[in-house]
Amino acid sequence: MSRYAQRRRLNFFSISLCYAAAAFGLGFLLLILIALVGKGLGGFSLDLFTQMTPPPGSKGGLLNAIYGSLVMTFLGVAIGTPIGMLAGTYMAEYGRGTKLTFIVRFINDILLSAPSIVIGLFVYEIMVSKMGHFSGIAGAVALAIIVIPVVVRTTEDMLLLVPAQMREAATALGLPRFHVITKIAYKAARAGLVTGILLAIARASGETAPLLFTALNNQFFSTDLNAPMASLPVIIFQFALSPYADWQQLAWSGALIVTVAVLCLSISARVLARKGVGG
Amino acid sequence: MADLTINNYAMQLDKEHKRARVFTRFRLSDGFFRRCTFSAVMLVLALLGGVMIALAYGSIPAFQAFGLGFFVTEVWNPVTDKFGALAPIYGTVVTSLIAMLIAVPVGIGSAIFLTELCPQSLRRPIGVAIELLAAIPSIIYGLWGLFILAPFVQQYVQPGLISLFGDIPVLSTLFAGPPYGIGILTAGFVLAIMVLPFITSISRDVFETVPPVLKEAGYGLGCTTWEVSRHVVLPYTGVGVIGGIMLGLGRALGETMAVTFVIGNAHRISGSILAPGTTISASIANEFTEAVGDLYTSALIELGFILFIITFIVLAISRYMLLRIEQKKGV
């Protein structure tokens, strides 16, 4: 009976640890959110969205950073999404089960988790050092490279979920492959494809490392894509590490904006994904 | 009558002509679309090759100047143009190690909780919450680490560690020094929180591939929940769990922003894990835009190249392991 008691005790102990582990993970999510709201909300005002980033010691907002983030994220997604979707389409439709698809999937999965700072270095090498200056467009290209693997992955996964009967029915009606894919498979997988794009936007809008030495930063409002451009994450990085209290406050407010945006995008992506194929 | 036939014949011709035209258009657009998708696939491949080549090209000056000595030199002096990668490599490895020491048991524990213990109705919300932790941008972790975690660690955790291990020979050097708050230990801890969701969600996914029959057989023999998890679920999914761990490790090695905030950016190797240090990605993030001179820039690019190769290998192993568990599921 003592052996049984011992096993019971070990079981109780280990199971409690598992509970504790889950509580640990969730606890930190809560702690981070509480800190963000607590510190970030204090700096919320209309100025945040209408004023430029200030010099230390004076009042200001984050308008140029918000604008820069929106523009570069939009461009990055606009460049990356078509490429990613086409590549995903090839893998799921034309090259299903081929060796090439297998290799590309492998490479794509590696790109998906590759350090984003390396992407920044890469774009610096191919664009910034050739052009001779930092620019918003280089930042957008860096974000596009972040976006591509995300979109490739979801596009392939979602197209693979479309039932083969749908394609067969369309083919039997005499539709060419191109129409079968764009008019039937894409439509059936629409919710899933949108999910992929939302996830890509969420990923791109929070990225800092690839922008550090591509778009750099800009204290002024700039719509020139050929010039350095501010972005929220980079401003957060710069302001948080500064010794000025008002800059740090702006960094927290910016962080709250970014996090709320990213979490909203991720949650809506998840809601859409639940609808899945056929929605 | 004859007129009518001719007319009919002409219409027929016209129809066939139209048909042929539509078919040609179909064929052309079909071929065009196929080629577009194929080039996109090639572009993804080229991306990886391009990153490798561009970084290798950029690191040539540094490699010519320092050779293989780059890997074993601790000096990092922009003034005299002497650079060595040992301190960043050491920092990267140690912070990732600390992160894995914390995140692996916690991640697997959470996954067991999610698949075996959690009430069915709570599984989805908790799973989603843990995945949301993965969606939070790394800069937020960095900000939080710097302003919330580091002061806490400085005030409560580090003094405790220093006095606790102060009299034990080896551990006293490991936990030596003034409590800065920021440093290698704090960076490792923030990394652990960051990679935790990856390990948890992959472990949960592979745990769910275990056939219920196996678990039921275990319970039928009178096993406890822990014994089933430890002796049935874990051995069955071993490869997949290791794949998930490697994926987390790949993330930890390459993570930039979260670490840059809390590591302290000191290019030296210290015996104490409470001391500030640096990692490859933190060095690049901090110094690249301020790097003057080709050699300095090139040394940083070479650091990036090393990081890319290391993470590439780790992630490739991870993918291979996860592929094997997928095949197992398929059989």
Side-chain angles (χ1 to χ4, degrees):
Chain A
M1 212 50 200
S2 82
R3 172 126 182 89
Y4 178 61
Q6 198 188 338
R7 283 174 55 205
R8 287 273 305 265
R9 229 177 302 133
L10 177 69
N11 186 48
F12 178 76
F13 179 69
S14 318
I15 294 307
S16 317
L17 280 184
C18 289
Y19 276 103
F24 182 86
L26 290 174
F28 276 106
L29 179 68
L30 260 173
L31 277 179
I32 290 174
L33 290 181
I34 289 171
L36 267 177
V37 173
K39 291 231 175 194
L41 216 52
F44 256 67
S45 65
L46 200 62
D47 284 355
L48 212 54
F49 302 96
T50 55
Q51 302 284 313
M52 304 302 137
T53 46
S58 52
K59 284 172 77 74
L62 293 166
L63 177 64
N64 48 341
I66 294 172
Y67 173 81
S69 266
L70 285 177
V71 167
M72 283 191 288
T73 306
F74 174 77
L75 277 178
V77 173
I79 301 170
T81 306
I83 298 173
M85 270 185 72
L86 285 173
T89 307
Y90 180 88
M91 290 157 72
E93 300 284 341
Y94 292 112
R96 194 181 283 202
T98 59
K99 202 151 211 162
L100 177 69
T101 297
F102 179 80
I103 294 169
V104 174
R105 193 181 301 138
F106 196 81
I107 301 272
N108 188 66
D109 280 346
I110 288 176
L111 280 176
L112 197 62
S113 323
S116 53
I117 191 140
V118 172
I119 306 295
L121 280 179
F122 170 63
V123 175
Y124 176 87
E125 276 286 290
I126 61 163
M127 284 185 77
V128 178
S129 70
K130 298 283 178 292
M131 289 156 68
H133 56 86
F134 301 99
S135 64
I137 191 73
V141 170
L143 290 183
I145 298 178
I146 304 283
V147 163
I148 290 174
V150 182
V151 179
V152 170
R153 182 69 193 266
T154 40
T155 307
E156 196 207 356
D157 286 353
M158 291 304 153
L159 286 179
L160 285 177
L161 287 179
V162 176
Q165 287 91 324
M166 276 194 178
R167 292 196 191 85
E168 283 159 11
T171 313
L173 289 174
L175 281 185
R177 197 73 184 271
F178 165 57
H179 282 236
V180 175
I181 294 169
T182 52
K183 299 254 161 78
I184 308 294
Y186 279 177
K187 272 222 172 111
R190 197 172 43 202
L193 298 179
V194 175
T195 304
I197 297 170
L198 287 180
L199 287 177
I201 299 174
R203 178 88 198 272
S205 53
E207 279 291 351
T208 319
L211 295 177
L212 282 177
F213 18 86
T214 51
L216 199 65
N217 199 350
N218 198 335
Q219 292 296 9
F220 306 103
F221 189 84
S222 160
T223 52
D224 185 3
L225 278 174
N226 208 16
M229 202 172 225
S231 63
L232 268 178
V234 176
I235 288 281
I236 295 171
F237 179 53
Q238 188 201 348
F239 281 14
L241 288 176
S242 77
Y244 313 110
D246 43 354
W247 271 19
Q248 292 177 357
Q249 177 57 52
L250 277 176
W252 277 106
S253 305
L256 183 60
I257 298 176
V258 170
T259 311
V260 168
V262 167
L263 288 185
C264 284
L265 282 166
S266 312
I267 291 171
S268 39
R270 244 159 257 283
V271 172
L272 259 179
R274 265 182 109 176
K275 283 210 252 149
V277 168
Chain B
M1 194 67 194
D3 253 17
L4 210 66
T5 350
I6 288 171
N7 227 342
N8 249 345
Y9 182 64
M11 268 170 70
Q12 187 88 26
L13 256 185
D14 192 42
K15 240 185 186 166
E16 264 170 28
H17 194 64
K18 270 187 186 155
R19 252 176 112 82
R21 255 206 345 241
V22 168
F23 272 130
T24 330
R25 215 180 60 216
F26 273 3
R27 220 183 33 247
L28 285 180
S29 60
D30 218 22
F32 177 70
F33 185 67
R34 194 195 161 114
R35 242 162 285 154
C36 278
T37 60
F38 186 73
S39 0
V41 163
M42 284 299 139
L43 193 78
V44 173
L45 286 183
L47 219 51
L48 186 85
V51 171
M52 290 238 183
I53 292 166
L55 293 183
Y57 177 77
S59 54
I60 288 173
F63 192 75
Q64 277 169 345
F66 309 114
L68 289 174
F70 191 66
F71 295 91
V72 289
T73 315
E74 196 192 326
V75 186
W76 186 270
N77 192 339
V79 181
T80 55
D81 257 355
K82 288 265 177 297
F83 300 102
L86 194 60
I89 292 177
Y90 168 84
T92 305
V93 171
V94 173
T95 48
S96 301
L97 205 70
I98 295 171
M100 299 322 280
L101 279 179
I102 301 170
V104 168
V106 176
I108 294 178
S110 309
I112 293 178
F113 169 78
L114 278 174
T115 50
E116 304 291 329
L117 308 168
C118 186
Q120 198 71 41
S121 56
L122 281 179
R123 271 180 205 189
R124 229 193 109 76
I126 293 181
V128 168
I130 285 182
E131 280 163 26
L132 285 183
L133 204 55
I136 295 178
S138 59
I139 188 149
I140 309 297
Y141 286 93
L143 195 65
W144 179 79
L146 179 66
F147 286 108
I148 312 281
L149 184 67
F152 177 80
V153 167
Q154 183 175 24
Q155 213 165 355
Y156 301 105
V157 181
Q158 288 182 341
L161 286 173
I162 293 168
S163 60
L164 186 65
F165 297 113
D167 302 328
I168 308 165
V170 182
L171 292 176
S172 67
T173 42
L174 201 58
F175 294 99
Y180 291 107
I182 53 176
I184 290 190
L185 181 66
T186 313
F189 191 75
V190 174
L191 274 182
I193 301 172
M194 282 207 65
V195 298
L196 183 62
F198 294 100
I199 297 178
T200 305
S201 60
I202 290 188
S203 305
R204 180 199 56 190
D205 291 349
V206 296
F207 285 171
E208 276 169 1
T209 65
V210 178
V213 186
L214 284 184
K215 286 194 271 184
E216 282 156 15
Y219 286 122
L221 287 174
C223 289
T224 58
T225 313
W226 169 249
E227 283 162 350
V228 169
S229 304
R230 171 73 190 78
H231 299 289
V232 178
V233 175
L234 269 180
Y236 186 85
T237 53
V239 191
V241 173
I242 293 172
I245 292 171
M246 297 297 263
L247 185 73
L249 180 62
R251 289 271 173 171
L253 288 168
E255 179 43 51
T256 311
M257 299 324 291
V259 176
T260 308
F261 273 101
V262 290
I263 187 108
N265 304 304
H267 270 280
R268 59 188 152 80
I269 297 174
S270 170
S272 165
I273 58 169
L274 302 185
T278 191
T279 66
I280 294 179
S281 46
S283 308
I284 302 173
N286 266 313
E287 297 171 38
F288 196 78
T289 44
E290 282 143 30
V292 228
D294 290 342
L295 202 56
Y296 195 179
T297 311
S298 176
L300 286 169
I301 294 179
E302 187 170 355
L303 274 184
F305 188 53
I306 297 170
L307 176 67
F308 192 60
I309 299 291
I310 298 175
T311 46
F312 183 89
I313 295 170
V314 170
L315 292 172
I317 296 173
S318 142
R319 278 298 139 199
Y320 174 73
M321 300 265 183
L322 289 173
L323 269 179
R324 275 183 48 193
I325 193 97
E326 262 169 44
Q327 277 160 1
K328 200 169 176 180
K329 191 168 72 177
V331 169

